Amino acid sequence: MNSLLSGISAISIKDIIMIVIGCILIYLAVYKKFEPTLLLPMGFGVIMVNLPLSGAITQLFGDSKVVGVLDLLFSQGIATEIFPLLIFIGIGSMIDFEPLLQKPFTIFLGAAAQIGIFLTIIVALIFGFDLKEAASIGIIGAADGPTSIFVASQLAKNLLGPISVAAYSYMALVPIIQPFAIKLVTTKEERMIRMSYTQGKVSKRTKILFPIIVTIISGIIAPQSIPLIGFLMFGNLMRESGVVEGLSKSAQNELVNICTILLGLAISSTMKGDDFLKASTLLIMCMGLVAFILDTIGGVLFVKLINVFRKEKINPMIGAAGISAFPMSARVVQKLATKEDPQNFILMYSVSANVSGQIASVIAGGLILGLLS
């Protein structure tokens, strides 16, 4: 009876609030389908972490220290960066870079759509975060959950919980946020611009050489990006080589699914009420949204700048697909184009920009780590 009463008496209002937040994350995953593969384990983990005297996290019982399994997952999987990197192998196995190889100029759209990261770093510094924390917040704008977690785990472990929630939440909200941001800086006439598309032929040799060359060039430019870009491109090399089809499919399915489950549970260990329920958490969520919107707008404005010098205009909306949320952002752009003109098909250009954004966000993360770590 004393044990039961000690658990009840130890619960605080912060614990109750965090348990409610855990239930909300589960609700968003189950009923709203917002990144369920991560938010479902994260939400349940938040409940386990915030139960009084929980054995899921490290606790002191008298003179004895009992290490919780969620803290163990964090120290072995996130602090070592293993989980995000293994997920990158799976992501690389899923991505087909052929649209980018057919339209190489879209690589610049992916680069332009990262501008929100660096603008948000400045905003975060103004609000009192130190440089490493500001950089970790800014990377949310890339709409790349694994990259955000990888960067935050090295530069600002104390902010890993809110940064992870923000990154994956905004990835799930791409269909809501991006149309709003695109319409802010485009006219109906610009959104109706049609683009002719000629199907090109990309050889298997080119597809195999591409991940190798990208890894070498990225490693020279930003050495700190080698783990990120290397694992991503290794996954793609498995896909394109055609000789390890079983490994490629396992990376796309079993590896990604298992690592995502463990990643969500591990992140929840950082979401104890005393650490998470701060004004800074709300500020991080807001600045993450700002970064995401600025990335979208930056990509669109870059295309509009290019159009000043082009006779054959580019639909500026494809610049918005330069973020890393693949393939959701490309689909959103095509949906907007079809809404304005049912006969307007810019999906392949959008996909090209979208896969470019995947590479650009990883390189941006590597550059930030190289400058600050």
Side-chain angles (χ1 to χ4, degrees):
M1 183 60 69
N2 288 336
S3 297
L4 292 174
L5 291 176
S6 64
I8 295 172
S9 61
I11 196 166
S12 67
I13 186 65
K14 288 185 177 180
D15 294 331
I16 295 173
I17 293 173
M18 289 305 300
I19 289 171
V20 171
I21 289 175
C23 292
I24 291 173
L25 293 177
I26 292 173
Y27 170 80
L28 293 174
V30 175
Y31 292 100
K32 298 298 182 180
K33 304 296 190 294
F34 286 177
E35 295 294 335
T37 54
L38 187 89
L39 293 189
L40 190 64
M42 188 187 296
F44 198 79
V46 169
I47 295 174
M48 290 194 291
V49 164
N50 288 280
L51 289 171
L53 308 178
S54 172
I57 56 175
T58 302
Q59 299 278 5
L60 287 174
F61 295 99
D63 295 330
S64 301
K65 182 179 180 180
V66 179
V67 178
V69 63
L70 296 185
D71 285 326
L72 188 62
L73 283 176
F74 182 88
S75 64
Q76 299 301 315
I78 294 183
T80 60
E81 296 127 22
I82 293 298
F83 292 161
L85 290 176
L86 290 178
I87 289 174
F88 265 106
I89 294 178
I91 294 173
S93 299
M94 297 176 191
I95 296 178
D96 181 3
F97 286 110
E98 185 169 343
L100 170 60
L101 294 171
Q102 291 177 358
K103 303 294 179 184
F105 79 90
T106 56
I107 191 69
F108 297 107
L109 307 186
Q114 311 307 314
I115 189 171
I117 295 173
F118 302 97
L119 293 177
T120 305
I121 291 174
I122 297 172
V123 175
L125 288 171
I126 293 172
F127 276 95
F129 292 94
D130 66 38
L131 186 55
K132 290 185 177 182
E133 291 174 338
S136 301
I137 294 168
I139 204 71
I140 296 172
D144 187 340
T147 299
S148 298
I149 292 170
F150 186 86
V151 172
S153 67
Q154 292 197 35
L155 300 183
K157 291 182 181 179
N158 57 310
L159 302 181
L160 187 58
I163 286 174
S164 302
V165 173
Y168 278 94
S169 296
Y170 296 140
M171 283 174 63
L173 292 173
V174 164
I176 297 173
I177 298 172
Q178 279 213 297
F180 165 77
I182 291 171
K183 289 180 180 180
L184 278 179
V185 290
T186 59
T187 64
K188 182 179 178 67
E189 289 72 24
E190 287 174 328
R191 295 194 294 273
M192 291 178 66
I193 292 175
R194 294 188 177 187
M195 299 176 66
S196 58
Y197 183 81
T198 305
Q199 182 71 33
K201 179 70 175 177
V202 179
S203 67
K204 181 176 180 179
R205 178 182 297 175
T206 301
K207 291 181 180 181
I208 291 174
L209 288 174
F210 179 74
I212 299 172
I213 293 172
V214 168
T215 302
I216 293 172
I217 294 175
S218 301
I220 294 172
I221 296 173
Q224 289 291 333
S225 71
I226 292 177
L228 290 168
I229 201 73
F231 276 57
L232 179 74
M233 290 299 157
F234 172 65
N236 187 251
L237 180 61
M238 287 199 300
R239 172 194 175 98
E240 301 299 347
S241 67
V243 295
V244 286
E245 187 174 347
L247 295 181
S248 178
K249 289 183 177 178
S250 295
Q252 295 176 40
N253 297 290
E254 289 83 2
L255 180 63
V256 167
N257 291 335
I258 291 171
C259 288
T260 303
I261 291 171
L262 297 178
L263 183 72
L265 290 171
I267 290 171
S268 67
S269 69
T270 67
M271 298 176 68
K272 198 80 173 71
D274 291 336
D275 301 323
F276 193 83
L277 294 177
K278 299 178 180 178
S280 60
T281 298
L282 181 60
L283 196 55
I284 289 169
M285 298 293 289
C286 292
M287 286 190 291
L289 177 60
V290 168
F292 187 71
I293 291 174
L294 289 177
D295 270 0
T296 299
I297 290 175
V300 173
L301 293 181
F302 181 72
V303 176
K304 293 180 73 168
L305 177 63
I306 293 175
N307 280 343
V308 173
F309 306 98
R310 283 179 60 99
K311 182 177 180 181
E312 186 179 351
K313 304 300 181 184
I314 301 172
N315 191 312
M317 291 195 297
I318 69 171
I323 64 169
S324 183
F326 177 84
M328 194 183 306
S329 185
R331 292 173 181 168
V332 167
V333 168
Q334 176 57 51
K335 186 176 180 180
L336 270 177
T338 305
K339 184 177 180 180
E340 302 291 358
D341 177 3
Q343 301 303 315
N344 192 6
F345 300 101
I346 58 173
L347 181 61
M348 292 307 293
Y349 286 100
S350 301
V351 171
S352 299
N354 214 175
V355 296
S356 300
Q358 184 73 65
I359 297 174
S361 67
V362 172
I363 294 176
L367 284 171
I368 288 173
L369 289 174
L371 291 171
L372 300 180
S373 63

